[in-house]
Every structure is written in structure tokens, then in C-alpha cells.
Amino acid sequence: MSNDMVAITASKLPAHLAGKVKTNNVFASAVSVGGFPVISIKGKVFHIQRGDERTLVTKDDSGDPSASLEAVIVAVNPNKSKVFYDSGYEEGSVAKPTCYSNDGIQPASDAENPQANKCAACPNNMWGSRITDNGGKGKACGDSMRLAIAAPDQLNDPMLLRVPAASLKTLGQYGQQLAKRGVEPHHVITKIGFDYNVAHPALTFKAVRFVEEAELAEVEATLLDEEETITQITGIANPNTPEIEHKAAEPAPAPKPKPAPKPAPAPKPAPEPVVEATPEPVVEAAPEPKPAPAKVDDYDSIDEALDNLDFDD
């Protein structure tokens, strides 16, 4: 790269460019997709995949696989992601999926072969669309959550960790524990391990300590400096934008002609005076006296007395 770039800094912008600075890289698509490291959990061991290089995460210099790793959860896609492989998914594979979604609502705009317009209507997203090796039911399109994590001693190197469907409940419970204490995920060091009580790879999460002041400053710097990488890792860099069908403008309808005003009605002749006959006085008959209400003693029982109460009185 030419050293002439050193002279191009935001602090030395000419006046006509001031306020027009853009921080996003419009050439980001020139970089190969998936250029960030990915954490694999195949076989209940952690590997870091960097391009074609695959490195085992060890617990010490002995080279034995580590049963857990400590990391800062730098960022997270709050939506469930979905991934479908027509030939089945193998953990650790770098092959591009047949169809995928980063929001769980609709396929991504660059999905190789979208299986449906909406994930909710996709047959591969239905329970029972996949039969596991042990005969259980599952979904052909797998659910997961995408986390951007970084090691405490290398916070400027975010990596992708896909939390599989079998671990989403555990992750949700961990999030509840943090939320109750008013703590963000990137405020703590999280120990990520395996649940050895189940046969399939299932993750566990535990906060081991708060980040130190210097670590927090580095995390916040990473969120700014590695924004493009982090948004690619979490899958929210290019949100799905539905195409809008543009219709040709239709000419405005011609105004309807106004109806001719109706002629004023002819005046009606004055009505003849009507002489009313004087009505004869009406003598009203005196009302008949109402019989005195019967006493309770006049009935054979109290129930009969209640039945004969007159509520109109």
C-alpha cells in the first residue's frame, strides 16, 4: 500500500469535504466472505478455524484439548439465525449453506437457493423435517445464535461462535442472570464449556469475573475499530431489504363535470286557516282503590308470601 495514505486523515480534510466523512468501507464485499475466525465445537472440543487453518484450543502446553474457554461476548445478533444444507450440515464445515437467514424471518438476499419466501412457511423449518441418527425428530433448517467473542488477552480479534439449538435455552437463562444484575454480556468474562450429560455438543455459560477497566476500554475500542468484522460475524451488517415493486405512474383521472344547478322550487300557496272545534271536557273516572296488601299471616307459609310480593308498589 502506498505511503501517500498517511497524508489523508480526517483532521486534514479540506473545507468542502468537512462533514461528509463516511466511516464504512464501500469495498467491503471485495474481501472474501467469512474472512473472520470461527469457533468449532465438533466432538466437544474447541477449534479455531482461520481460513484453511484449523487450530485446536488446548488447556496448557501439553496439547490436550481444553474442556472450556474464557471469552468476552463482544456482540450478539439478537435474532435466531437459520441455516439449511440440502446434503446435511457437518460441524466445522466451511461450505456455503444452501439457504440461510440472519433474522429468522426470511432468507438472506444472497442465499444460494432460498427454500421459501418466509421462514415460517418453509417446510425445512417444520418440526420433523429431519430425523436424527438416533431416530429423533428435528428440523432440517437448524436454529442458532451468532455471537462475536474474543479472548481476554486478544480482545481486538473477534471470532464467530454459533450457539446451536440445543444450547439456546441455556444461553437464554444465562442472559436472564446477567440482566437481573444489570450487566451487559461484554462486562464480564464468560466461561464457555460443554455439558457432558448429553451426547450431542451442548454449551454451558458461566460468568467468572467482571472485565477490568483496561479490558473494557479495549472492548469498546474493538466495537469501533472492528465494526465491519463484528457486523459480518453477527450477520447484521447487511439487513434483509425486501424489494419494492415500482408501478408506473397512472394518469390522474379527469375531473367529473359538475351537475347543472337545479331550478329553485316554485313557492307553495299559503295554507288556508283551519278552524278547530272546541273539545268537550273529559270527565275522568275516579280510580278504584287498590286492595290492601296481604299480610304474611294471610298466607300459609313465608315462601308463598315472598312469591306474592308486588315490586311495582
Side-chain angles (χ1 to χ4, degrees):
M1 182 181 294
S2 173
N3 291 329
D4 293 339
M5 289 293 294
V6 176
I8 302 178
T9 62
S11 60
K12 297 181 180 180
L13 284 176
H16 65 278
L17 294 180
K20 300 181 181 295
V21 177
K22 300 293 183 182
T23 57
N24 59 304
N25 179 9
V26 295
F27 307 117
S29 60
V31 183
S32 59
V33 177
F36 45 81
V38 179
I39 301 292
S40 168
I41 59 174
K42 183 179 181 180
K44 293 190 177 183
V45 292
F46 294 104
H47 284 87
I48 299 178
Q49 188 82 31
R50 296 179 184 272
D52 296 331
E53 182 182 352
R54 188 178 179 87
T55 305
L56 176 68
V57 178
T58 58
K59 59 183 178 181
D60 50 34
D61 296 336
S62 65
D64 295 333
S66 176
S68 63
L69 57 84
E70 293 186 356
V72 175
I73 301 176
V74 178
V76 58
N77 184 335
N79 302 308
K80 285 184 182 179
S81 300
K82 295 182 180 293
V83 180
F84 170 71
Y85 291 82
D86 55 6
S87 58
Y89 173 67
E90 181 179 353
E91 173 63 36
S93 173
V94 295
K96 188 174 181 178
T98 306
C99 182
Y100 77 98
S101 171
N102 286 330
D103 61 7
I105 299 175
Q106 61 187 16
S109 58
D110 63 343
E112 187 174 90
N113 185 12
Q115 301 294 293
N117 292 329
K118 297 292 182 180
C119 295
C122 180
N124 297 313
N125 192 39
M126 303 302 173
W127 187 256
S129 57
R130 180 177 72 92
I131 303 300
T132 62
D133 296 336
N134 57 6
K137 291 183 178 182
K139 296 196 302 182
C141 184
D143 292 339
S144 64
M145 289 196 76
R146 299 169 68 103
L147 309 183
I149 69 173
D153 58 350
Q154 205 167 357
L155 292 171
N156 62 347
D157 183 29
M159 301 173 285
L160 168 63
L161 173 63
R162 292 188 184 93
V163 179
S167 304
L168 292 181
K169 182 178 180 180
T170 303
L171 179 63
Q173 292 172 342
Y174 179 58
Q176 287 179 346
Q177 293 176 0
L178 295 178
K180 286 180 179 179
R181 293 161 175 81
V183 178
E184 296 287 342
H186 65 274
H187 291 166
V188 297
I189 305 296
T190 300
K191 181 178 181 180
I192 305 172
F194 292 103
D195 183 357
Y196 292 99
N197 295 318
V198 295
H200 53 272
L203 297 175
T204 60
F205 304 89
K206 180 181 179 181
V208 293
R209 65 173 176 85
F210 286 106
V211 296
E212 297 177 358
E213 185 175 359
E215 291 172 329
L216 179 60
E218 191 171 356
V219 168
E220 292 174 344
T222 299
L223 288 170
L224 294 176
D225 299 340
E226 302 295 332
E227 180 181 3
E228 290 182 12
T229 300
I230 291 173
T231 51
Q232 288 179 8
I233 289 174
T234 57
I236 56 176
N238 298 309
N240 296 323
T241 304
E243 296 183 359
I244 301 175
E245 182 180 356
H246 295 279
K247 296 183 179 180
E250 298 180 357
K256 295 181 180 180
K258 296 183 179 180
K262 295 181 180 180
K268 295 182 180 180
E272 298 180 0
V274 179
V275 179
E276 297 182 355
T278 304
E280 297 181 359
V282 178
V283 180
E284 295 183 357
E288 297 181 0
K290 292 184 179 180
K295 297 180 180 179
V296 174
D297 296 340
D298 295 338
Y299 297 93
D300 294 336
S301 67
I302 188 64
D303 294 331
E304 186 180 356
L306 293 174
D307 292 338
N308 285 273
L309 284 177
D310 186 1
F311 290 98
D312 292 334
D313 294 341

